[in-house]
Amino acid sequence: MSYEDVKSKNELEKALKGPGLKGVIVSLNKGSLFSRALSLQDVVDVLPRLSGLGLGNNIGAEGTKALAAALEKNRKLSVLYLGGNGIGDEGAEALASALEKNSTLSKLNLRDNSIGNEGAKALAAALENNSTLTELYLRGNS
């Protein structure tokens, strides 16, 4: 799988035109070191075209909710890396709801996200209705 690290909307658009690109690793810069920093909406807009996505820079529960809403409808993404994004129980619950509807995601990395008992319970319940997720990483959570 070919991945490219992108930090601006221009870089994302360029990367998506690359031959054989299947996924991107995205740095969302709050405070904007780049004049045209990527927003989470930029990522959600291109999600249907990707099979792999890595998101960084603390998208939090609200960002995770937006991503989860897109995942419910997504029919291509198979790998999602959200390690170290501070999603907490609220974000984990949103992802759990998406997992009940998503039929393509096979690997989900949620390490170091301050997920507690409630978020873990929601994810466990969602796995009862999801037959495609084969790898779930939860190391480093509460």
Side-chain angles (χ1 to χ4, degrees), residues 6-17:
V6 295
K7 295 179 179 74
S8 72
K9 189 169 185 175
N10 284 342
E11 287 181 21
L12 180 61
E13 290 167 356
K14 183 179 175 184
L16 289 170
K17 292 177 185 172

Side-chain angles (χ1 to χ4, degrees), residues 5-72:
D5 188 14
V6 295
K7 295 179 179 74
S8 72
K9 189 169 185 175
N10 284 342
E11 287 181 21
L12 180 61
E13 290 167 356
K14 183 179 175 184
L16 289 170
K17 292 177 185 172
L21 181 75
K22 303 255 192 263
V24 293
I25 300 168
V26 179
S27 299
L28 298 171
N29 293 292
K30 298 176 181 174
S32 196
L33 295 173
F34 302 95
S35 59
R36 293 185 60 191
L38 271 172
S39 70
L40 185 58
Q41 188 59 51
D42 293 332
V43 175
V44 168
D45 289 347
V46 298
L47 195 58
R49 298 168 60 187
L50 302 176
S51 60
L53 175 63
L55 278 177
N57 291 33
N58 201 16
I59 65 170
E62 290 306 311
T64 306
K65 287 179 189 178
L67 185 61
L71 274 176
E72 287 182 7

Side-chain angles (χ1 to χ4, degrees), residues 64-120:
T64 306
K65 287 179 189 178
L67 185 61
L71 274 176
E72 287 182 7
K73 302 173 203 144
N74 184 279
R75 299 293 173 251
K76 188 167 182 178
L77 196 71
S78 62
V79 178
L80 180 58
Y81 178 88
L82 293 177
N85 273 292
I87 71 171
D89 285 339
E90 195 175 350
E93 290 167 357
L95 285 172
S97 177
L99 285 174
E100 290 182 0
K101 298 172 183 89
N102 182 281
S103 61
T104 58
L105 201 63
S106 62
K107 296 178 185 179
L108 177 59
N109 187 319
L110 297 175
R111 68 159 185 79
D112 301 322
N113 268 301
S114 302
I115 298 170
N117 289 339
E118 295 307 310

